[in-house]
Amino acid sequence: DHFLLVGEGFKSKVIERYYTSQEFYAIGVPRRIYITEPKNAYRYKRYIDKKEKYTLVVCYDTPPLSDFLTGLVGGISSEKTIFDFYSVLLKLAREFPALYFVVKPKCIDMFQRQFYKQIETEGNRLKNFEVVRDLKRYNPYQMAYLADIILGKHTSITEEALSAGKRVLFYDDDKLLKSLDHVLNEIDVIEYNYEGLRARIVDIVQNDRYIDYEKLEAFNRNYFTAQSNKPTSNHC
């Protein structure tokens, strides 16, 4: 009977998909408040220091699925997809030595995957690329706060960072967002290949141009903001 939405804009979409709830509540993005300056700054001194020399690009992956699950979802979030994502990050790091790329993995199990060994070998050769291995030490939300740019696969934290006003680029090479008709397709924050990401990074770093601020504000108000404490009814 009651359905919680992160923003009023989702109401019409869930009704179109025949959700039978009668009352809808727009509660905003609860975990957005976690994207704050680190209180235990000593833990993050490494990255605070990096920001004095580099533009800090914080990256978020998704855990690769098993071969069985990958087959069920048509190749989305496969080992190949995640390997390609890391390969793109390595290529960007080589081309942009003034940017420091730090990846905050979702899952420690990834370090045991065979494909990661190649990523690790190549990454160790670069001075401006790093994969966080101590996942408990570094909170992903506080890393998002420190980021000058956020680049990642579609996860909850990349959405939350966008709603908090961070400059986020979603890498959708497996067309997940496109296939879902996701609301993110309504604004210019998605890229599908290396060339697209490269062009956007040049625009941000050299021209201080991300996307139209008013459009982003309107998007966030519609989809990621609590509008009211009162429920809105579905009288369809």
Short mmCIF file of all heavy atoms in Angstrom, two decimals, residues 167-214:
data_model
loop_
_atom_site.label_atom_id
_atom_site.label_comp_id
_atom_site.label_asym_id
_atom_site.label_seq_id
_atom_site.Cartn_x
_atom_site.Cartn_y
_atom_site.Cartn_z
N ARG A 167 30.68 15.96 -9.76
CA ARG A 167 30.80 15.76 -11.21
C ARG A 167 31.01 14.28 -11.48
O ARG A 167 32.10 13.74 -11.30
CB ARG A 167 31.96 16.58 -11.75
CG ARG A 167 31.70 18.08 -11.68
CD ARG A 167 32.89 18.88 -12.18
NE ARG A 167 32.54 20.28 -12.39
CZ ARG A 167 33.37 21.18 -12.88
NH1 ARG A 167 34.62 20.85 -13.20
NH2 ARG A 167 32.98 22.44 -13.04
N VAL A 168 29.94 13.62 -11.90
CA VAL A 168 29.93 12.16 -12.08
C VAL A 168 29.77 11.82 -13.55
O VAL A 168 28.91 12.39 -14.24
CB VAL A 168 28.80 11.50 -11.26
CG1 VAL A 168 28.83 9.98 -11.43
CG2 VAL A 168 28.88 11.90 -9.80
N LEU A 169 30.58 10.89 -14.02
CA LEU A 169 30.42 10.33 -15.36
C LEU A 169 30.17 8.83 -15.22
O LEU A 169 30.95 8.13 -14.57
CB LEU A 169 31.67 10.57 -16.21
CG LEU A 169 32.01 12.03 -16.51
CD1 LEU A 169 33.35 12.12 -17.24
CD2 LEU A 169 30.91 12.69 -17.34
N PHE A 170 29.09 8.35 -15.82
CA PHE A 170 28.75 6.94 -15.77
C PHE A 170 29.28 6.26 -17.03
O PHE A 170 29.05 6.73 -18.15
CB PHE A 170 27.23 6.76 -15.70
CG PHE A 170 26.61 7.28 -14.44
CD1 PHE A 170 26.29 8.63 -14.31
CD2 PHE A 170 26.33 6.43 -13.38
CE1 PHE A 170 25.70 9.12 -13.16
CE2 PHE A 170 25.75 6.91 -12.22
CZ PHE A 170 25.44 8.27 -12.11
N TYR A 171 29.99 5.13 -16.83
CA TYR A 171 30.51 4.38 -17.97
C TYR A 171 29.60 3.20 -18.23
O TYR A 171 29.54 2.25 -17.44
CB TYR A 171 31.94 3.91 -17.68
CG TYR A 171 32.62 3.30 -18.88
CD1 TYR A 171 32.76 4.03 -20.06
CD2 TYR A 171 33.11 1.99 -18.86
CE1 TYR A 171 33.38 3.48 -21.17
CE2 TYR A 171 33.74 1.44 -19.96
CZ TYR A 171 33.87 2.19 -21.11
OH TYR A 171 34.48 1.65 -22.22
N ASP A 172 28.88 3.25 -19.34
CA ASP A 172 27.82 2.28 -19.63
C ASP A 172 28.12 1.51 -20.91
O ASP A 172 27.27 1.41 -21.79
CB ASP A 172 26.48 3.03 -19.74
CG ASP A 172 25.27 2.09 -19.74
OD1 ASP A 172 25.31 1.09 -19.02
OD2 ASP A 172 24.30 2.39 -20.47
N ASP A 173 29.32 0.95 -21.00
CA ASP A 173 29.71 0.25 -22.22
C ASP A 173 28.86 -1.00 -22.46
O ASP A 173 28.71 -1.44 -23.60
CB ASP A 173 31.19 -0.12 -22.19
CG ASP A 173 31.55 -1.03 -21.02
OD1 ASP A 173 31.00 -0.82 -19.92
OD2 ASP A 173 32.38 -1.93 -21.19
N ASP A 174 28.31 -1.59 -21.40
CA ASP A 174 27.45 -2.77 -21.59
C ASP A 174 25.98 -2.40 -21.80
O ASP A 174 25.11 -3.27 -21.87
CB ASP A 174 27.58 -3.74 -20.41
CG ASP A 174 27.36 -3.07 -19.07
OD1 ASP A 174 26.98 -1.87 -19.05
OD2 ASP A 174 27.58 -3.71 -18.02
N LYS A 175 25.70 -1.08 -21.90
CA LYS A 175 24.36 -0.55 -22.23
C LYS A 175 23.31 -0.93 -21.18
O LYS A 175 22.12 -1.05 -21.50
CB LYS A 175 23.90 -1.04 -23.61
CG LYS A 175 24.88 -0.74 -24.75
CD LYS A 175 25.11 0.73 -24.95
CE LYS A 175 25.89 1.03 -26.23
NZ LYS A 175 27.22 0.43 -26.28
N LEU A 176 23.73 -1.10 -19.94
CA LEU A 176 22.78 -1.43 -18.88
C LEU A 176 21.76 -0.31 -18.69
O LEU A 176 20.56 -0.55 -18.69
CB LEU A 176 23.52 -1.67 -17.56
CG LEU A 176 22.64 -1.83 -16.32
CD1 LEU A 176 21.76 -3.05 -16.47
CD2 LEU A 176 23.48 -1.92 -15.07
N LEU A 177 22.24 0.93 -18.55
CA LEU A 177 21.32 2.05 -18.31
C LEU A 177 20.40 2.26 -19.50
O LEU A 177 19.21 2.57 -19.34
CB LEU A 177 22.12 3.32 -18.02
CG LEU A 177 22.94 3.30 -16.73
CD1 LEU A 177 23.83 4.53 -16.65
CD2 LEU A 177 22.02 3.22 -15.52
N LYS A 178 20.96 2.09 -20.69
CA LYS A 178 20.16 2.27 -21.90
C LYS A 178 19.06 1.22 -21.99
O LYS A 178 17.91 1.51 -22.32
CB LYS A 178 21.07 2.19 -23.12
CG LYS A 178 20.49 2.80 -24.37
CD LYS A 178 21.56 2.90 -25.45
CE LYS A 178 21.09 3.73 -26.61
NZ LYS A 178 22.14 3.88 -27.64
N SER A 179 19.40 -0.02 -21.67
CA SER A 179 18.42 -1.11 -21.78
C SER A 179 17.32 -0.98 -20.74
O SER A 179 16.20 -1.47 -20.94
CB SER A 179 19.13 -2.46 -21.63
OG SER A 179 19.64 -2.62 -20.31
N LEU A 180 17.61 -0.33 -19.62
CA LEU A 180 16.62 -0.18 -18.55
C LEU A 180 15.76 1.06 -18.72
O LEU A 180 14.86 1.30 -17.92
CB LEU A 180 17.33 -0.09 -17.19
CG LEU A 180 18.07 -1.34 -16.71
CD1 LEU A 180 18.80 -1.05 -15.41
CD2 LEU A 180 17.11 -2.51 -16.54
N ASP A 181 16.03 1.86 -19.74
CA ASP A 181 15.34 3.14 -19.89
C ASP A 181 15.46 3.94 -18.60
O ASP A 181 14.49 4.51 -18.08
CB ASP A 181 13.86 2.92 -20.24
CG ASP A 181 13.16 4.23 -20.61
OD1 ASP A 181 13.85 5.15 -21.08
OD2 ASP A 181 11.94 4.33 -20.40
N HIS A 182 16.67 4.00 -18.07
CA HIS A 182 16.93 4.64 -16.78
C HIS A 182 16.78 6.15 -16.89
O HIS A 182 17.06 6.75 -17.94
CB HIS A 182 18.34 4.27 -16.32
CG HIS A 182 18.57 4.48 -14.86
ND1 HIS A 182 18.79 5.72 -14.31
CD2 HIS A 182 18.61 3.59 -13.83
CE1 HIS A 182 18.95 5.60 -13.01
NE2 HIS A 182 18.85 4.32 -12.70
N VAL A 183 16.40 6.79 -15.78
CA VAL A 183 16.22 8.25 -15.80
C VAL A 183 17.52 8.99 -16.09
O VAL A 183 17.50 10.13 -16.57
CB VAL A 183 15.63 8.75 -14.47
CG1 VAL A 183 14.25 8.16 -14.25
CG2 VAL A 183 16.55 8.47 -13.29
N LEU A 184 18.66 8.37 -15.82
CA LEU A 184 19.94 9.03 -16.10
C LEU A 184 20.12 9.32 -17.59
O LEU A 184 20.93 10.17 -17.96
CB LEU A 184 21.10 8.17 -15.58
CG LEU A 184 21.25 8.12 -14.06
CD1 LEU A 184 22.26 7.05 -13.66
CD2 LEU A 184 21.66 9.47 -13.49
N ASN A 185 19.38 8.60 -18.43
CA ASN A 185 19.44 8.87 -19.86
C ASN A 185 18.89 10.25 -20.22
O ASN A 185 19.09 10.74 -21.33
CB ASN A 185 18.67 7.80 -20.64
CG ASN A 185 19.37 6.44 -20.59
OD1 ASN A 185 20.45 6.27 -21.12
ND2 ASN A 185 18.73 5.48 -19.95
N GLU A 186 18.20 10.88 -19.28
CA GLU A 186 17.60 12.18 -19.54
C GLU A 186 18.60 13.34 -19.45
O GLU A 186 18.29 14.45 -19.87
CB GLU A 186 16.44 12.43 -18.56
CG GLU A 186 15.29 11.45 -18.72
CD GLU A 186 14.16 11.71 -17.73
OE1 GLU A 186 14.14 12.82 -17.15
OE2 GLU A 186 13.33 10.82 -17.54
N ILE A 187 19.78 13.08 -18.87
CA ILE A 187 20.80 14.12 -18.78
C ILE A 187 22.12 13.59 -19.32
O ILE A 187 22.32 12.37 -19.44
CB ILE A 187 20.98 14.64 -17.35
CG1 ILE A 187 21.31 13.49 -16.38
CG2 ILE A 187 19.77 15.42 -16.89
CD1 ILE A 187 21.68 13.97 -15.00
N ASP A 188 23.02 14.49 -19.63
CA ASP A 188 24.25 14.13 -20.33
C ASP A 188 25.35 13.74 -19.34
O ASP A 188 26.33 14.47 -19.15
CB ASP A 188 24.70 15.32 -21.19
CG ASP A 188 25.85 14.95 -22.12
OD1 ASP A 188 26.07 13.75 -22.35
OD2 ASP A 188 26.53 15.89 -22.60
N VAL A 189 25.19 12.56 -18.72
CA VAL A 189 26.19 12.09 -17.75
C VAL A 189 26.70 10.69 -18.08
O VAL A 189 27.47 10.11 -17.31
CB VAL A 189 25.64 12.11 -16.31
CG1 VAL A 189 25.36 13.53 -15.86
CG2 VAL A 189 24.39 11.23 -16.19
N ILE A 190 26.28 10.13 -19.21
CA ILE A 190 26.62 8.74 -19.56
C ILE A 190 27.52 8.73 -20.79
O ILE A 190 27.27 9.42 -21.77
CB ILE A 190 25.35 7.92 -19.85
CG1 ILE A 190 24.39 7.96 -18.66
CG2 ILE A 190 25.71 6.47 -20.18
CD1 ILE A 190 23.04 7.31 -18.95
N GLU A 191 28.58 7.90 -20.71
CA GLU A 191 29.44 7.67 -21.87
C GLU A 191 29.57 6.17 -22.08
O GLU A 191 29.49 5.38 -21.14
CB GLU A 191 30.81 8.31 -21.67
CG GLU A 191 30.79 9.84 -21.58
CD GLU A 191 30.27 10.50 -22.84
OE1 GLU A 191 30.38 9.89 -23.92
OE2 GLU A 191 29.75 11.63 -22.75
N TYR A 192 29.81 5.80 -23.36
CA TYR A 192 29.76 4.39 -23.73
C TYR A 192 31.11 3.83 -24.18
O TYR A 192 31.23 2.63 -24.40
CB TYR A 192 28.73 4.18 -24.85
CG TYR A 192 27.36 4.64 -24.46
CD1 TYR A 192 26.89 5.90 -24.83
CD2 TYR A 192 26.52 3.83 -23.69
CE1 TYR A 192 25.63 6.32 -24.47
CE2 TYR A 192 25.25 4.25 -23.31
CZ TYR A 192 24.81 5.51 -23.70
OH TYR A 192 23.57 5.93 -23.32
N ASN A 193 32.11 4.70 -24.33
CA ASN A 193 33.42 4.22 -24.80
C ASN A 193 34.52 5.16 -24.33
O ASN A 193 34.26 6.20 -23.72
CB ASN A 193 33.43 4.10 -26.33
CG ASN A 193 32.97 5.39 -27.01
OD1 ASN A 193 33.37 6.48 -26.63
ND2 ASN A 193 32.14 5.26 -28.03
N TYR A 194 35.74 4.76 -24.61
CA TYR A 194 36.90 5.53 -24.17
C TYR A 194 36.89 6.94 -24.74
O TYR A 194 37.16 7.92 -24.02
CB TYR A 194 38.19 4.82 -24.60
CG TYR A 194 39.42 5.66 -24.35
CD1 TYR A 194 39.97 5.74 -23.08
CD2 TYR A 194 40.01 6.38 -25.38
CE1 TYR A 194 41.08 6.54 -22.83
CE2 TYR A 194 41.12 7.17 -25.15
CZ TYR A 194 41.65 7.25 -23.87
OH TYR A 194 42.74 8.04 -23.64
N GLU A 195 36.58 7.07 -26.02
CA GLU A 195 36.62 8.38 -26.66
C GLU A 195 35.65 9.35 -25.99
O GLU A 195 35.96 10.53 -25.81
CB GLU A 195 36.29 8.25 -28.15
CG GLU A 195 37.36 7.57 -28.99
CD GLU A 195 37.43 6.06 -28.79
OE1 GLU A 195 36.43 5.49 -28.26
OE2 GLU A 195 38.46 5.46 -29.14
N GLY A 196 34.49 8.85 -25.62
CA GLY A 196 33.51 9.70 -24.95
C GLY A 196 34.01 10.17 -23.59
O GLY A 196 33.88 11.35 -23.25
N LEU A 197 34.56 9.24 -22.81
CA LEU A 197 35.09 9.62 -21.50
C LEU A 197 36.24 10.61 -21.64
O LEU A 197 36.34 11.58 -20.88
CB LEU A 197 35.57 8.38 -20.75
CG LEU A 197 34.50 7.47 -20.15
CD1 LEU A 197 35.16 6.28 -19.47
CD2 LEU A 197 33.65 8.24 -19.14
N ARG A 198 37.11 10.36 -22.59
CA ARG A 198 38.26 11.24 -22.81
C ARG A 198 37.80 12.67 -23.11
O ARG A 198 38.31 13.64 -22.53
CB ARG A 198 39.12 10.72 -23.96
CG ARG A 198 40.33 11.58 -24.23
CD ARG A 198 41.03 11.19 -25.53
NE ARG A 198 42.17 12.05 -25.75
CZ ARG A 198 42.10 13.29 -26.23
NH1 ARG A 198 40.91 13.81 -26.53
NH2 ARG A 198 43.19 14.02 -26.40
N ALA A 199 36.82 12.80 -24.00
CA ALA A 199 36.32 14.12 -24.37
C ALA A 199 35.70 14.84 -23.18
O ALA A 199 35.90 16.05 -23.00
CB ALA A 199 35.31 13.99 -25.50
N ARG A 200 34.98 14.10 -22.35
CA ARG A 200 34.33 14.71 -21.19
C ARG A 200 35.37 15.16 -20.17
O ARG A 200 35.22 16.22 -19.54
CB ARG A 200 33.35 13.72 -20.56
CG ARG A 200 32.19 13.34 -21.45
CD ARG A 200 31.34 14.54 -21.85
NE ARG A 200 30.67 15.14 -20.71
CZ ARG A 200 29.52 14.70 -20.20
NH1 ARG A 200 28.91 13.65 -20.73
NH2 ARG A 200 28.97 15.33 -19.17
N ILE A 201 36.41 14.36 -19.97
CA ILE A 201 37.44 14.73 -19.02
C ILE A 201 38.18 15.98 -19.48
O ILE A 201 38.48 16.88 -18.70
CB ILE A 201 38.40 13.55 -18.79
CG1 ILE A 201 37.70 12.48 -17.94
CG2 ILE A 201 39.69 14.01 -18.09
CD1 ILE A 201 38.49 11.22 -17.75
N VAL A 202 38.47 16.05 -20.77
CA VAL A 202 39.12 17.26 -21.32
C VAL A 202 38.23 18.47 -21.07
O VAL A 202 38.70 19.54 -20.66
CB VAL A 202 39.38 17.09 -22.83
CG1 VAL A 202 39.77 18.42 -23.46
CG2 VAL A 202 40.49 16.06 -23.06
N ASP A 203 36.93 18.31 -21.29
CA ASP A 203 35.99 19.42 -21.10
C ASP A 203 35.97 19.88 -19.64
O ASP A 203 35.91 21.08 -19.35
CB ASP A 203 34.59 18.99 -21.53
CG ASP A 203 33.96 19.98 -22.49
OD1 ASP A 203 34.68 20.86 -22.99
OD2 ASP A 203 32.75 19.88 -22.74
N ILE A 204 35.99 18.93 -18.72
CA ILE A 204 35.95 19.28 -17.29
C ILE A 204 37.26 19.92 -16.84
O ILE A 204 37.27 20.99 -16.21
CB ILE A 204 35.66 18.03 -16.44
CG1 ILE A 204 34.23 17.53 -16.69
CG2 ILE A 204 35.84 18.34 -14.95
CD1 ILE A 204 33.92 16.19 -16.05
N VAL A 205 38.37 19.29 -17.18
CA VAL A 205 39.67 19.73 -16.67
C VAL A 205 40.14 21.01 -17.35
O VAL A 205 40.64 21.94 -16.69
CB VAL A 205 40.71 18.61 -16.83
CG1 VAL A 205 42.10 19.10 -16.43
CG2 VAL A 205 40.32 17.40 -15.98
N GLN A 206 39.99 21.09 -18.65
CA GLN A 206 40.54 22.22 -19.39
C GLN A 206 39.55 23.39 -19.52
O GLN A 206 39.96 24.55 -19.56
CB GLN A 206 41.00 21.78 -20.78
CG GLN A 206 42.14 20.78 -20.74
CD GLN A 206 42.65 20.40 -22.12
OE1 GLN A 206 42.25 20.98 -23.13
NE2 GLN A 206 43.54 19.42 -22.18
N ASN A 207 38.26 23.08 -19.60
CA ASN A 207 37.27 24.12 -19.84
C ASN A 207 36.34 24.36 -18.66
O ASN A 207 35.46 25.22 -18.74
CB ASN A 207 36.43 23.76 -21.07
CG ASN A 207 37.27 23.52 -22.30
OD1 ASN A 207 38.24 24.24 -22.55
ND2 ASN A 207 36.92 22.49 -23.07
N ASP A 208 36.52 23.59 -17.58
CA ASP A 208 35.66 23.69 -16.39
C ASP A 208 34.19 23.58 -16.79
O ASP A 208 33.33 24.30 -16.29
CB ASP A 208 35.92 25.01 -15.64
CG ASP A 208 35.28 24.99 -14.25
OD1 ASP A 208 35.13 23.90 -13.68
OD2 ASP A 208 34.91 26.08 -13.76
N ARG A 209 33.91 22.65 -17.70
CA ARG A 209 32.56 22.49 -18.23
C ARG A 209 32.11 21.05 -18.03
O ARG A 209 32.73 20.12 -18.54
CB ARG A 209 32.53 22.87 -19.71
CG ARG A 209 31.14 22.86 -20.32
CD ARG A 209 31.16 23.54 -21.68
NE ARG A 209 32.11 22.90 -22.59
CZ ARG A 209 32.80 23.54 -23.53
NH1 ARG A 209 32.68 24.84 -23.67
NH2 ARG A 209 33.63 22.86 -24.32
N TYR A 210 31.04 20.88 -17.29
CA TYR A 210 30.50 19.55 -17.02
C TYR A 210 29.18 19.39 -17.76
O TYR A 210 29.14 18.94 -18.89
CB TYR A 210 30.37 19.36 -15.50
CG TYR A 210 29.70 18.09 -15.04
CD1 TYR A 210 30.07 16.85 -15.57
CD2 TYR A 210 28.72 18.12 -14.07
CE1 TYR A 210 29.46 15.68 -15.15
CE2 TYR A 210 28.10 16.96 -13.63
CZ TYR A 210 28.47 15.74 -14.17
OH TYR A 210 27.86 14.58 -13.75
N ILE A 211 28.08 19.74 -17.14
CA ILE A 211 26.80 19.81 -17.82
C ILE A 211 26.09 21.08 -17.34
O ILE A 211 26.49 21.69 -16.34
CB ILE A 211 25.90 18.58 -17.58
CG1 ILE A 211 25.58 18.40 -16.10
CG2 ILE A 211 26.55 17.32 -18.12
CD1 ILE A 211 24.61 17.27 -15.83
N ASP A 212 25.04 21.46 -18.02
CA ASP A 212 24.32 22.67 -17.66
C ASP A 212 23.83 22.57 -16.21
O ASP A 212 23.11 21.64 -15.84
CB ASP A 212 23.13 22.86 -18.59
CG ASP A 212 22.36 24.13 -18.30
OD1 ASP A 212 22.75 25.19 -18.83
OD2 ASP A 212 21.38 24.06 -17.53
N TYR A 213 24.25 23.53 -15.39
CA TYR A 213 23.95 23.48 -13.97
C TYR A 213 22.45 23.48 -13.69
O TYR A 213 21.96 22.74 -12.85
CB TYR A 213 24.61 24.68 -13.26
CG TYR A 213 24.33 24.76 -11.78
CD1 TYR A 213 24.97 23.92 -10.87
CD2 TYR A 213 23.38 25.67 -11.29
CE1 TYR A 213 24.70 23.99 -9.52
CE2 TYR A 213 23.10 25.74 -9.94
CZ TYR A 213 23.76 24.91 -9.06
OH TYR A 213 23.48 24.97 -7.72
N GLU A 214 21.70 24.31 -14.41
CA GLU A 214 20.26 24.41 -14.17
C GLU A 214 19.55 23.11 -14.52
O GLU A 214 18.61 22.69 -13.83
CB GLU A 214 19.67 25.57 -14.96
CG GLU A 214 20.12 26.94 -14.44
CD GLU A 214 19.44 28.08 -15.17
OE1 GLU A 214 18.64 27.80 -16.09
OE2 GLU A 214 19.72 29.24 -14.82
#
